[in-house]
């Protein structure tokens, strides 16, 4: 497991403060789970975890390759994932457990990278389906000023078009820098946000596209109109959250908390998923060969139980894991997408994110049936 | 003449009555309600709810002593097994179960109890007389389903994340065999003659038919209902008639119970029941099969011979398990 740590400011909410074992603890739990199963089959699993910086990532990766590791879970952003994928020896298999950028599954896809993390549009589609199910079809979209925010806003625009919602108002919240928090800062927030959201076209919800954690948490209860906030705060589409209990999830939460002494975060869950998928392939193929594992994961026989009420599988045309998305207010699971009534000829999970005909990925053509 | 004709008719009626099978014996059906923390009691003759009593916090697995003297309930959030008097519904005592007991199986003799502890990857063996833990057996990740061979020599546990059926020798408490099945195995059920073991896999969508002697998977039963997403056909509870000829499989959120031929393993029919059907129990005479429908807060009653659903009965919130008392 290779985690790249990027320089960043502290989060707006101290509930989201970074933890030193982020993702690593999830990988550790998956390795324990795999080892328990392996114990009955004579299989052994070992996890080696490395954290690095973007500058030193190529060297750290090369060292792992020199040491003979060929299956690597990456908690990294797009540029590093692409660089490492292109530098990897031909028999290596990489699993992306963080980056949501659509391009990595599309025109920039790599045959040696499987994506356990959902793409931006899988997440925005999951939220859009719920909003359309609620008939909250008129959206005021507030996005940040960074490229990632613009990309997320585009994903929401695409989702709105796909499922019949309308973006009736666009606003940009410009990041002017400065400290993240100041004492009694809420006094100014309470005055500024209503003014910022004044005079918007009639809307049912405010959709926040804030990939950079600059403003979204300030929106709920502070908007001019009494509209719910969704997206980057309020009701959020997520892979996992610590209150999720259904489909036996409480067992995974308990196991993780006993191991790590803290709640499971999305990065931990994605790392767990990545290594559980690998473990499942090892059990079923009786092989530790990365090529055999990759072929099994992309094949029809693979499915993984992951506390989401239905099996997870990979899209063979771009290596993206199909998965239900949780919608949470931070306290509880409010709903789970795909929603009832959104149909697909192959799998309802393929109503989330770009479907095969829309895919610009060609690196999987040799292997996709 | 008229009176005589009437008497003849009456005689004929009595004779006709005499030829029908004995009326169904009245059994007591106990249903654990996971959400409302209660046990609902139903009379199987009238199908009326006759009582509802507290079952501890989050009651799930439920079973009864072979002689009907004690009712056992996994009170999952209390980390204990609660023991009730099936006549008075009084709580008698509790049994040590290990943490978060979900499902268990009683030895055919009535003792001991084999309990799956989901959080600890253990099967706990508890003596129901001395109320002592006899053994803790490490198994795969997230143990759930528990089945026992009719001769009581082998107990089978299924582990939901390891995806195995673990065969445990009940004398040595050692695992003697592991059989890999499909994703998230929920339930294990032997046939009455012990010759076959059925293991359901909720997320895999299959029921494996296993030869317990060899551990070979003889067949994988799959399910298909037109118009229903395959992902929703999630096998959980399994019950087999004592002659082995019919297998009933609860299919979770597809709201159906599959009727399977016990020899060809073909699915013969799908019976529409309530929503999210998980567990099943026969009446002791096998005339009826009762299903717990978690999301519609009711149980369905299936006429086993006719293979038809004959009624549904509202119970508490989120019914989970069901057991029928012997007479």
């Amino acid at each position: 497991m290779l985690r790249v740590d990027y320089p960043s400011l502290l989060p707006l909410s101290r509930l989201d403060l970074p933890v030193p074992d982020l993702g690593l603890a999830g990988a550790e739990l998956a390795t324990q789970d795999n080892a328990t199963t392996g114990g009955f089959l004579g299989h052994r699993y070992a996890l080696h975890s490395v954290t690095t910086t973007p500058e030193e990532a190529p060297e750290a990766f090369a060292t792992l390759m020199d040491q003979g590791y060929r299956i690597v879970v990456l908690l990294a952003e797009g540029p590093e994932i692409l660089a490492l994928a292109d530098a990897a020896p031909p028999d290596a298999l990489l699993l992306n457990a963080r980056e949501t950028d659509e391009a990595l599954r599309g025109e920039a896809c790599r045959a040696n990278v499987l994506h356990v993390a959902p793409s931006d549009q899988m997440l925005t589609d999951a939220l859009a389906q719920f909003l359309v199910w609620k008939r909250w079809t008129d959206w005021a979209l507030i996005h940040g000023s960074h490229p990632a925010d613009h990309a997320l806003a585009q994903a929401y625009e695409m989702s709105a078009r796909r499922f019949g919602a309308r973006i009736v108002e666009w606003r940009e919240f410009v990041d002017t820098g400065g400290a993240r928090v100041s004492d009694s800062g809420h006094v100014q927030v309470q005055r500024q946000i209503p003014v910022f959201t004044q005079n918007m076209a009639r809307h049912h919800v405010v959709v926040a596209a804030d990939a950079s954690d600059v403003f979204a948490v300030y929106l709920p209860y502070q908007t001019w109109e009494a509209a719910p906030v969704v997206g980057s705060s309020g009701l959020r589409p997520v892979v996992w959250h610590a209150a999720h209990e259904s489909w036996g999830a409480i067992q995974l939460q308990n196991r993780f908390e006993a191991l790590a002494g803290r709640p499971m975060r999305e990065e931990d869950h994605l790392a767990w998923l990545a290594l559980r998928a690998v473990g499942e392939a090892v059990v079923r193929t009786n092989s530790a060969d990365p090529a055999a594992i990759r072929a099994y994961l992309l094949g029809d026989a693979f499915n993984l139980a992951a506390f989401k009420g239905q099996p997870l599988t990979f899209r063979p045309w771009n290596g993206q894991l199909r998965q239900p998305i949780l919608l949470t207010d931070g306290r509880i699971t409010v709903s789970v997408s795909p929603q009832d009534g959104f149909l697909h000829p192959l799998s309802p999970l393929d109503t989330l994110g770009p479907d095969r005909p829309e895919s610009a990925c060609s690196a999987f053509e040799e292997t996709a049936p | 003449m008229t009176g005589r004709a009437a008497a003849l008719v009456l005689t004929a009626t009595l004779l006709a009555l005499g030829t029908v099978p004995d009326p169904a014996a009245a059994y007591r059906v106990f249903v654990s309600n996971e959400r409302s923390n209660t046990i609902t009691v139903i009379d199987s003759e009238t199908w009326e709810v006759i009582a509802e009593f507290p079952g501890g916090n989050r009651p799930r697995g439920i079973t009864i002593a072979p002689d009907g003297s004690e009712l056992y309930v996994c009170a999952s959030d209390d980390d204990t097994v609660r023991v009730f008097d099936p006549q008075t519904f009084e709580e008698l005592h509790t049994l040590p179960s290990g943490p978060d007991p979900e499902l268990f199986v009683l030895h055919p003799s009535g003792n001991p109890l084999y309990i799956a502890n989901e959080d600890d990857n253990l099967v706990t063996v508890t003596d129901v007389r001395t109320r002592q833990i006899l053994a803790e057996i490490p198994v795969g990740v997230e143990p759930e389903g528990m089945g026992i061979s009719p001769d009581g020599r082998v107990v089978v546990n299924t582990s939901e994340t390891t995806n195995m059926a673990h065969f445990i020798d009940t004398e040595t408490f050692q695992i003697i065999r592991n059989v890999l099945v499909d994703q998230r195995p929920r339930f294990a059920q032997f046939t009455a003659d012990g010759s076959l073991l059925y293991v359901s896999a909720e997320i895999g969508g299959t029921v494996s038919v296993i030869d317990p002697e060899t551990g070979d998977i003889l067949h994988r039963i799959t399910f298909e209902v037109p118009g229903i997403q395959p992902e929703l056909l999630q096998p959980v509870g399994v019950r087999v008639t004592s002659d082995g000829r019919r297998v009933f499989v609860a299919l979770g959120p597809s709201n159906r119970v599959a009727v399977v031929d016990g020899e060809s393993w073909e699915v013969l029919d799908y019976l529409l029941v309530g929503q999210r059907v998980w567990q099943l129990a026969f009446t002791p005479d096998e005339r009826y099969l009762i299903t717990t429908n978690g999301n519609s807060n009711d149980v369905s009653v299936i006429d086993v011979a006719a293979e038809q659903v004959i009624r549904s009965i509202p119970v508490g919130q989120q019914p989970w398990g069901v057991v029928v008392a012997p007479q």
Side-chain angles (χ1 to χ4, degrees):
Chain A
M1 162 124 195
L2 183 64
R3 190 185 77 193
V4 183
D5 292 335
Y6 298 83
S8 75
L9 297 168
L10 289 177
L12 290 181
S13 167
R14 65 185 311 279
L15 296 181
D16 301 329
L17 284 172
V19 289
D21 60 350
L22 184 69
L24 309 183
E28 175 61 35
L29 183 65
T31 306
Q32 287 186 8
D33 285 353
N34 287 339
T36 302
T37 302
F40 298 112
L41 295 167
H43 297 161
R44 288 188 311 117
Y45 295 84
L47 172 69
H48 180 51
S49 293
V50 176
T51 57
T52 184
T53 62
E55 296 74 28
E56 288 166 10
E59 199 184 320
F61 183 75
T63 306
L64 285 174
M65 293 300 114
D66 290 345
Q67 291 166 338
Y69 295 100
R70 286 295 180 272
I71 297 173
V72 183
V73 178
L74 294 175
L75 264 177
E77 294 183 359
E80 284 68 39
I81 291 174
L82 291 180
L84 301 183
D86 293 343
D91 59 340
L93 177 64
L94 311 184
L95 296 117
N96 164 24
R98 170 172 169 174
E99 180 57 78
T100 57
D101 182 11
E102 212 65 60
L104 257 65
R105 289 89 173 157
E107 62 274 15
C109 73
R110 299 291 192 272
N112 58 353
V113 183
L114 302 183
H115 305 277
V116 174
S119 72
D120 279 338
Q121 212 194 313
M122 289 170 68
L123 296 166
T124 60
D125 282 352
L127 181 58
Q129 285 188 7
F130 178 76
L131 296 177
V132 168
W133 188 87
K134 295 286 294 179
R135 304 196 180 185
W136 292 344
T137 51
D138 295 355
W139 303 354
L141 180 71
I142 303 177
H143 60 82
S145 55
H146 296 277
D149 305 330
H150 286 277
L152 190 54
Q154 268 176 20
Y156 276 112
E157 189 184 14
M158 188 78 84
S159 296
R161 204 177 303 146
R162 261 185 121 178
F163 298 113
R166 297 187 302 154
I167 296 176
V168 296
E169 179 84 33
W170 288 81
R171 285 201 184 175
E172 182 173 71
F173 192 105
V174 177
D175 184 4
T176 53
R180 301 238 125 186
V181 181
S182 59
D183 206 314
S184 59
H186 65 278
V187 174
Q188 286 194 8
V189 167
Q190 189 172 337
R191 290 178 192 150
Q192 289 164 347
I193 297 295
V195 175
F196 178 76
T197 54
Q198 202 176 355
N199 296 325
M200 295 205 290
R202 282 178 68 90
H203 55 277
H204 296 124
V205 290
V206 172
V207 178
D210 178 21
S212 316
D213 190 30
V214 168
F215 66 93
V217 294
Y218 297 139
L219 294 178
Y221 312 108
Q222 307 285 16
T223 51
W224 185 269
E225 308 274 351
V229 176
V230 300
S232 301
S233 74
L235 187 69
R236 293 178 298 125
V238 298
V239 167
W240 192 255
H241 67 94
H244 181 56
E245 289 196 57
S246 286
W247 300 299
I250 190 71
Q251 298 161 46
L252 183 66
Q253 307 278 22
N254 286 339
R255 268 206 314 286
F256 182 84
E257 286 158 19
L259 174 77
R262 61 175 177 81
M264 184 179 237
R265 296 195 183 185
E266 284 192 275
E267 291 86 344
D268 297 301
H269 187 70
L270 289 169
W272 181 87
L273 269 180
L275 288 179
R276 272 294 298 132
V278 169
E280 191 57 27
V282 170
V283 165
R284 303 288 168 176
T285 61
N286 207 24
S287 165
D289 170 40
I293 289 169
R294 179 182 180 279
Y296 183 80
L297 292 177
L298 292 173
D300 286 342
F302 172 74
N303 59 65
L304 185 65
F307 312 99
K308 299 276 187 78
Q310 57 177 298
L312 310 193
T313 56
F314 281 95
R315 291 176 181 149
W317 62 89
N318 68 353
Q320 170 67 55
L321 188 69
R322 295 182 178 100
Q323 55 197 305
I325 299 294
L326 310 179
L327 303 177
T328 180
D329 63 348
R331 299 281 296 163
I332 204 163
T333 302
V334 174
S335 186
V336 182
S337 286
Q339 297 292 321
D340 278 351
F342 292 90
L343 304 177
H344 188 278
L346 184 64
S347 160
L349 291 177
D350 281 345
T351 63
L352 302 179
D355 200 0
R356 187 169 196 160
E358 304 155 284
S359 175
C361 172
S362 57
F364 284 74
E365 276 168 7
E366 283 167 32
T367 47
Chain B
M1 282 297 284
T2 314
R4 192 174 175 141
L8 279 172
V9 171
L10 185 62
T11 311
T13 310
L14 285 171
L15 281 171
L17 276 175
T19 59
V20 301
D22 293 335
Y27 301 105
R28 279 183 168 182
V29 180
F30 295 89
V31 178
S32 61
N33 302 302
E34 181 181 6
R35 185 78 196 271
S36 43
N37 288 347
T38 56
I39 310 298
T40 300
V41 191
I42 299 167
D43 181 301
S44 80
E45 193 175 15
T46 62
W47 298 115
E48 298 285 330
V49 173
I50 53 176
E52 186 171 340
F53 63 91
N57 285 308
R58 202 173 180 200
R60 293 195 279 178
I62 184 167
T63 193
I64 195 159
D67 63 1
S69 61
E70 292 184 331
L71 179 75
Y72 304 97
V73 176
C74 287
S76 298
D77 282 358
D78 296 334
D79 298 332
T80 193
V81 170
R82 297 190 179 276
V83 185
F84 297 91
D85 182 324
Q87 299 299 322
T88 65
F89 316 137
E90 294 291 315
E91 183 171 323
L92 302 172
H93 54 264
T94 61
L95 295 172
S97 67
D100 195 20
E102 180 167 358
L103 204 51
F104 50 19
V105 68
L106 201 56
H107 191 278
S109 70
N111 195 26
L113 195 56
Y114 302 88
I115 307 162
N117 300 120
E118 289 193 308
D119 277 349
D120 282 22
N121 303 348
L122 288 176
V123 167
T124 298
V125 187
T126 300
D127 187 308
V128 301
R129 300 279 157 261
T130 65
R131 304 177 203 171
Q132 301 293 312
I133 289 178
L134 302 177
E136 290 180 333
I137 306 154
V139 291
V141 183
E142 292 173 37
E144 164 132 352
M146 300 295 299
I148 191 157
S149 62
D151 62 10
R153 293 167 75 167
V154 175
V155 67
V156 171
N157 160 254
T158 65
S159 49
E160 293 174 321
T161 290
T162 289
N163 301 319
M164 282 181 183
H166 307 285
F167 288 60
I168 299 164
D169 184 315
T170 54
E171 282 190 5
T172 64
F173 302 130
Q174 298 294 311
I175 292 180
I176 50 175
R177 178 175 292 122
N178 299 293
V179 178
L180 197 58
V181 293
D182 290 326
Q183 293 285 306
R184 205 168 164 80
R186 288 284 303 265
F187 202 82
Q189 177 69 49
F190 279 90
T191 51
D193 64 2
S195 65
L196 294 173
L197 174 71
Y198 291 92
V199 174
S200 64
E202 183 179 27
I203 293 294
T206 62
V207 172
S208 293
V209 187
I210 299 171
D211 179 344
E213 286 299 313
T214 62
D216 293 339
I217 295 179
L218 306 174
H219 186 77
R220 276 190 171 84
I221 304 168
T222 57
F223 304 92
E224 197 180 332
V225 179
I228 300 276
Q229 292 171 29
E231 294 86 348
L232 295 181
L233 296 163
Q234 301 182 353
V236 180
V238 179
R239 294 292 175 186
V240 189
T241 53
S242 52
D243 61 9
R245 292 184 61 233
R246 283 291 180 274
V247 185
F248 293 88
V249 182
L251 293 175
S254 72
N255 310 333
R256 278 159 175 83
V257 170
V259 184
V260 181
D261 186 298
E263 279 149 23
S264 68
W265 298 311
E266 264 179 74
V267 182
L268 304 172
D269 202 1
Y270 295 93
L271 308 177
L272 189 60
V273 293
Q275 293 171 24
R276 205 212 67 191
V277 54
W278 269 1
Q279 299 295 344
L280 309 170
F282 283 118
T283 50
D285 59 8
E286 286 187 15
R287 285 182 64 161
Y288 301 108
L289 180 73
I290 296 115
T291 78
T292 56
N293 314 319
N295 282 353
S296 47
N297 297 339
D298 58 8
V299 300
S300 299
V301 181
I302 293 170
D303 180 320
V304 173
E307 293 171 4
Q308 281 182 350
V309 179
I310 57 166
R311 67 173 68 219
S312 63
I313 304 155
V315 292
Q317 289 179 52
Q318 305 272 156
W320 198 98
V322 55
V323 69
V324 187
Q327 231 163 1

